[in-house]
Amino acid sequence: KQEVTQIPAALSVPEGENLVLNCSFTDSAIYNLQWFRQDPGKGLTSLLLIQSSQREQTSGRLNASLDKSSGRSTLYIAASQPGDSATYLCAVTYAGGTSYGKLTFGQGTILTVHP
Amino acid sequence: EAQVTQNPRYLITVTGKKLTVTCSQNMNHEYMSWYRQDPGLGLRQIYYSMNVEVTDKGDVPEGYKVSRKEKRNFPLILESPSPNQTSLYFCASSSTLIFGSGANVLTFGAGSRLTVL
């Protein structure tokens, strides 16, 4: 069974810092990995999707990397801002037996950026 | 506007009273899925559908049913709700979630908060 772990569970940083969020998964036979943002009481917003054949994806101040062989992904946020405060979740899509649309989420990292 | 719409957004019901949470998307997406989010347990997949008439179990399907008769709709049915199904439910959709260059991100609905007394 696929398990996804995110470290740290919570992170508090001052504005302007660069930071790294970590995601690890146990089964490397994945199709893709996505990073999401969730604001309190809201739904999820997709940030980046990395396909299994890719090593990284970038969007603005965000950069996500993927190392399938080691079962790890990182989300790098440059020059953090108070508006980045949210819960960040990673999720992997994988084949579970005959099912090929299974998706497992990590528990998330709660990020607080203070002015 | 491209979106996933869930209804109801909030619902309080009693044990055993059948209910349906609707999910509709206007993006012509093939893939649709349901999740529940619980404190300490995170988001867990309930069911998913690769296309019309094709559904499969996620990690926590017990107590739920789904159907995919049309591409745009993917309702979640609780035949006999129990208090342990009190949760925040999310529906999501995507086109060609899985393979190669066609893979696209998941678009989520705003969520449905269900309380079963």
Side-chain angles (χ1 to χ4, degrees), chain B residues 39-70:
Chain B
L41 297 175
L43 270 151
R44 294 176 292 169
Q45 190 179 43
I46 304 171
Y47 269 97
Y48 63 94
S49 169
M50 300 300 291
N51 214 323
V52 176
E53 302 291 1
V54 180
T55 62
D56 213 337
K57 297 177 181 179
D59 288 326
V60 288
E62 297 79 16
Y64 304 95
K65 285 177 58 176
V66 292
S67 67
R68 188 90 181 273
K69 293 183 170 52
E70 311 167 90

Short mmCIF file of all heavy atoms in Angstrom, two decimals, chain B residues 39-70:
data_model
loop_
_atom_site.label_atom_id
_atom_site.label_comp_id
_atom_site.label_asym_id
_atom_site.label_seq_id
_atom_site.Cartn_x
_atom_site.Cartn_y
_atom_site.Cartn_z
N PRO B 39 -9.58 15.32 10.54
CA PRO B 39 -8.43 15.77 11.34
C PRO B 39 -7.56 14.59 11.75
O PRO B 39 -8.05 13.56 12.22
CB PRO B 39 -9.10 16.41 12.58
CG PRO B 39 -10.45 16.81 12.11
CD PRO B 39 -10.86 15.77 11.10
N GLY B 40 -6.27 14.73 11.55
CA GLY B 40 -5.33 13.68 11.91
C GLY B 40 -5.20 12.55 10.90
O GLY B 40 -4.25 11.78 10.97
N LEU B 41 -6.15 12.48 9.97
CA LEU B 41 -6.11 11.41 8.96
C LEU B 41 -5.87 11.95 7.56
O LEU B 41 -5.58 11.19 6.63
CB LEU B 41 -7.42 10.61 8.97
CG LEU B 41 -7.71 9.86 10.27
CD1 LEU B 41 -9.10 9.22 10.21
CD2 LEU B 41 -6.64 8.79 10.52
N GLY B 42 -6.01 13.25 7.40
CA GLY B 42 -5.76 13.85 6.10
C GLY B 42 -6.85 13.54 5.09
O GLY B 42 -7.98 13.19 5.44
N LEU B 43 -6.50 13.66 3.84
CA LEU B 43 -7.42 13.40 2.73
C LEU B 43 -7.28 11.95 2.28
O LEU B 43 -6.17 11.48 2.03
CB LEU B 43 -7.09 14.29 1.53
CG LEU B 43 -7.78 15.63 1.49
CD1 LEU B 43 -6.91 16.64 0.76
CD2 LEU B 43 -9.12 15.50 0.77
N ARG B 44 -8.40 11.27 2.17
CA ARG B 44 -8.38 9.88 1.73
C ARG B 44 -9.37 9.69 0.59
O ARG B 44 -10.49 10.19 0.63
CB ARG B 44 -8.72 8.95 2.90
CG ARG B 44 -7.68 8.94 4.01
CD ARG B 44 -8.13 8.09 5.17
NE ARG B 44 -9.27 8.68 5.86
CZ ARG B 44 -9.99 8.06 6.78
NH1 ARG B 44 -9.71 6.80 7.11
NH2 ARG B 44 -11.00 8.68 7.37
N GLN B 45 -8.94 8.92 -0.41
CA GLN B 45 -9.76 8.72 -1.59
C GLN B 45 -10.84 7.68 -1.31
O GLN B 45 -10.56 6.59 -0.79
CB GLN B 45 -8.88 8.26 -2.75
CG GLN B 45 -9.57 8.25 -4.11
CD GLN B 45 -8.64 7.80 -5.21
OE1 GLN B 45 -7.87 6.85 -5.05
NE2 GLN B 45 -8.68 8.48 -6.35
N ILE B 46 -12.08 8.00 -1.70
CA ILE B 46 -13.20 7.10 -1.46
C ILE B 46 -13.47 6.25 -2.71
O ILE B 46 -13.43 5.02 -2.66
CB ILE B 46 -14.47 7.89 -1.09
CG1 ILE B 46 -14.21 8.80 0.12
CG2 ILE B 46 -15.63 6.95 -0.81
CD1 ILE B 46 -15.35 9.77 0.42
N TYR B 47 -13.77 6.91 -3.80
CA TYR B 47 -14.00 6.27 -5.08
C TYR B 47 -13.45 7.17 -6.17
O TYR B 47 -13.32 8.37 -5.99
CB TYR B 47 -15.50 6.06 -5.34
CG TYR B 47 -16.07 4.75 -4.86
CD1 TYR B 47 -16.70 4.67 -3.62
CD2 TYR B 47 -15.99 3.60 -5.64
CE1 TYR B 47 -17.24 3.47 -3.18
CE2 TYR B 47 -16.53 2.39 -5.20
CZ TYR B 47 -17.14 2.34 -3.96
OH TYR B 47 -17.67 1.15 -3.53
N TYR B 48 -13.20 6.56 -7.33
CA TYR B 48 -12.85 7.36 -8.47
C TYR B 48 -13.45 6.74 -9.73
O TYR B 48 -13.87 5.59 -9.72
CB TYR B 48 -11.33 7.53 -8.61
CG TYR B 48 -10.55 6.25 -8.85
CD1 TYR B 48 -10.23 5.84 -10.14
CD2 TYR B 48 -10.12 5.49 -7.77
CE1 TYR B 48 -9.51 4.68 -10.35
CE2 TYR B 48 -9.40 4.33 -7.97
CZ TYR B 48 -9.08 3.93 -9.26
OH TYR B 48 -8.38 2.79 -9.46
N SER B 49 -13.46 7.54 -10.79
CA SER B 49 -14.04 7.09 -12.05
C SER B 49 -13.14 7.56 -13.19
O SER B 49 -12.85 8.75 -13.29
CB SER B 49 -15.44 7.66 -12.22
OG SER B 49 -15.92 7.45 -13.53
N MET B 50 -12.73 6.63 -14.00
CA MET B 50 -11.87 6.98 -15.14
C MET B 50 -12.68 7.50 -16.32
O MET B 50 -12.14 8.21 -17.17
CB MET B 50 -11.05 5.77 -15.57
CG MET B 50 -10.13 5.21 -14.50
SD MET B 50 -8.91 6.40 -13.92
CE MET B 50 -7.85 6.55 -15.34
N ASN B 51 -13.96 7.14 -16.37
CA ASN B 51 -14.82 7.64 -17.44
C ASN B 51 -16.25 7.15 -17.17
O ASN B 51 -16.50 6.48 -16.15
CB ASN B 51 -14.34 7.15 -18.82
CG ASN B 51 -14.59 8.18 -19.92
OD1 ASN B 51 -15.62 8.86 -19.91
ND2 ASN B 51 -13.67 8.30 -20.84
N VAL B 52 -17.16 7.45 -18.06
CA VAL B 52 -18.56 7.06 -17.88
C VAL B 52 -18.65 5.55 -17.71
O VAL B 52 -18.00 4.78 -18.44
CB VAL B 52 -19.39 7.51 -19.09
CG1 VAL B 52 -20.83 7.01 -18.97
CG2 VAL B 52 -19.35 9.02 -19.22
N GLU B 53 -19.41 5.15 -16.70
CA GLU B 53 -19.66 3.74 -16.40
C GLU B 53 -18.42 2.99 -15.91
O GLU B 53 -18.44 1.76 -15.81
CB GLU B 53 -20.27 3.00 -17.60
CG GLU B 53 -21.58 3.58 -18.11
CD GLU B 53 -22.75 3.39 -17.15
OE1 GLU B 53 -22.57 2.81 -16.06
OE2 GLU B 53 -23.86 3.86 -17.47
N VAL B 54 -17.34 3.70 -15.60
CA VAL B 54 -16.12 3.06 -15.08
C VAL B 54 -15.80 3.66 -13.73
O VAL B 54 -15.40 4.83 -13.63
CB VAL B 54 -14.92 3.26 -16.03
CG1 VAL B 54 -13.68 2.58 -15.44
CG2 VAL B 54 -15.23 2.73 -17.42
N THR B 55 -16.01 2.87 -12.66
CA THR B 55 -15.71 3.36 -11.32
C THR B 55 -14.86 2.34 -10.59
O THR B 55 -14.87 1.15 -10.92
CB THR B 55 -16.99 3.63 -10.50
OG1 THR B 55 -17.70 2.39 -10.35
CG2 THR B 55 -17.87 4.64 -11.20
N ASP B 56 -14.13 2.79 -9.57
CA ASP B 56 -13.27 1.88 -8.81
C ASP B 56 -13.09 2.42 -7.40
O ASP B 56 -13.26 3.62 -7.14
CB ASP B 56 -11.91 1.71 -9.48
CG ASP B 56 -11.35 0.32 -9.27
OD1 ASP B 56 -11.74 -0.35 -8.28
OD2 ASP B 56 -10.52 -0.10 -10.08
N LYS B 57 -12.74 1.51 -6.50
CA LYS B 57 -12.62 1.87 -5.10
C LYS B 57 -11.29 2.56 -4.83
O LYS B 57 -10.26 2.20 -5.36
CB LYS B 57 -12.71 0.60 -4.24
CG LYS B 57 -14.04 -0.11 -4.33
CD LYS B 57 -14.01 -1.39 -3.50
CE LYS B 57 -15.34 -2.12 -3.61
NZ LYS B 57 -15.34 -3.39 -2.83
N GLY B 58 -11.38 3.54 -3.94
CA GLY B 58 -10.19 4.14 -3.39
C GLY B 58 -9.79 3.42 -2.12
O GLY B 58 -9.99 2.21 -2.00
N ASP B 59 -9.27 4.16 -1.16
CA ASP B 59 -8.78 3.54 0.07
C ASP B 59 -9.86 3.34 1.13
O ASP B 59 -9.71 2.49 2.01
CB ASP B 59 -7.65 4.39 0.67
CG ASP B 59 -6.38 4.29 -0.15
OD1 ASP B 59 -6.12 3.21 -0.71
OD2 ASP B 59 -5.64 5.29 -0.24
N VAL B 60 -10.94 4.13 1.08
CA VAL B 60 -11.97 4.04 2.12
C VAL B 60 -13.37 4.00 1.51
O VAL B 60 -14.19 4.88 1.75
CB VAL B 60 -11.84 5.21 3.14
CG1 VAL B 60 -10.63 5.02 4.02
CG2 VAL B 60 -11.78 6.55 2.42
N PRO B 61 -13.72 2.97 0.74
CA PRO B 61 -15.01 2.94 0.04
C PRO B 61 -16.19 2.44 0.89
O PRO B 61 -17.35 2.60 0.48
CB PRO B 61 -14.74 1.95 -1.09
CG PRO B 61 -13.74 1.00 -0.50
CD PRO B 61 -12.87 1.82 0.39
N GLU B 62 -15.91 1.87 2.06
CA GLU B 62 -16.97 1.24 2.84
C GLU B 62 -18.03 2.26 3.25
O GLU B 62 -17.72 3.32 3.80
CB GLU B 62 -16.39 0.57 4.09
CG GLU B 62 -15.42 -0.57 3.81
CD GLU B 62 -14.03 -0.09 3.42
OE1 GLU B 62 -13.73 1.12 3.67
OE2 GLU B 62 -13.26 -0.88 2.86
N GLY B 63 -19.29 1.92 3.00
CA GLY B 63 -20.40 2.78 3.37
C GLY B 63 -20.79 3.79 2.31
O GLY B 63 -21.72 4.58 2.53
N TYR B 64 -20.12 3.76 1.19
CA TYR B 64 -20.39 4.71 0.11
C TYR B 64 -20.69 3.98 -1.20
O TYR B 64 -20.23 2.86 -1.41
CB TYR B 64 -19.19 5.63 -0.12
CG TYR B 64 -18.73 6.38 1.10
CD1 TYR B 64 -17.70 5.88 1.89
CD2 TYR B 64 -19.31 7.60 1.45
CE1 TYR B 64 -17.27 6.56 3.02
CE2 TYR B 64 -18.88 8.29 2.57
CZ TYR B 64 -17.86 7.76 3.35
OH TYR B 64 -17.44 8.44 4.46
N LYS B 65 -21.45 4.65 -2.04
CA LYS B 65 -21.67 4.19 -3.41
C LYS B 65 -21.51 5.37 -4.34
O LYS B 65 -21.71 6.52 -3.95
CB LYS B 65 -23.09 3.62 -3.56
CG LYS B 65 -23.31 2.26 -2.95
CD LYS B 65 -24.76 1.82 -3.08
CE LYS B 65 -25.24 1.77 -4.51
NZ LYS B 65 -26.62 1.26 -4.62
N VAL B 66 -21.15 5.05 -5.59
CA VAL B 66 -21.06 6.10 -6.60
C VAL B 66 -21.66 5.57 -7.89
O VAL B 66 -21.86 4.37 -8.05
CB VAL B 66 -19.60 6.54 -6.87
CG1 VAL B 66 -19.01 7.26 -5.67
CG2 VAL B 66 -18.75 5.34 -7.28
N SER B 67 -21.92 6.50 -8.80
CA SER B 67 -22.33 6.11 -10.15
C SER B 67 -21.80 7.16 -11.12
O SER B 67 -21.61 8.31 -10.75
CB SER B 67 -23.85 5.99 -10.25
OG SER B 67 -24.46 7.27 -10.10
N ARG B 68 -21.57 6.73 -12.34
CA ARG B 68 -21.10 7.68 -13.37
C ARG B 68 -21.87 7.39 -14.65
O ARG B 68 -21.40 6.71 -15.55
CB ARG B 68 -19.60 7.51 -13.59
CG ARG B 68 -19.01 8.59 -14.50
CD ARG B 68 -18.54 9.77 -13.77
NE ARG B 68 -18.01 10.80 -14.62
CZ ARG B 68 -16.74 10.86 -15.05
NH1 ARG B 68 -15.88 9.90 -14.71
NH2 ARG B 68 -16.33 11.85 -15.80
N LYS B 69 -23.07 7.92 -14.70
CA LYS B 69 -23.93 7.71 -15.85
C LYS B 69 -23.71 8.76 -16.93
O LYS B 69 -24.00 8.54 -18.11
CB LYS B 69 -25.39 7.69 -15.42
CG LYS B 69 -25.75 6.48 -14.55
CD LYS B 69 -27.22 6.47 -14.21
CE LYS B 69 -27.64 5.16 -13.56
NZ LYS B 69 -26.80 4.78 -12.42
N GLU B 70 -23.23 9.90 -16.50
CA GLU B 70 -22.92 10.97 -17.45
C GLU B 70 -21.51 11.46 -17.15
O GLU B 70 -21.05 11.36 -16.02
CB GLU B 70 -23.86 12.16 -17.30
CG GLU B 70 -25.32 11.83 -17.26
CD GLU B 70 -26.09 13.05 -16.80
OE1 GLU B 70 -26.50 13.86 -17.65
OE2 GLU B 70 -26.26 13.20 -15.57
#
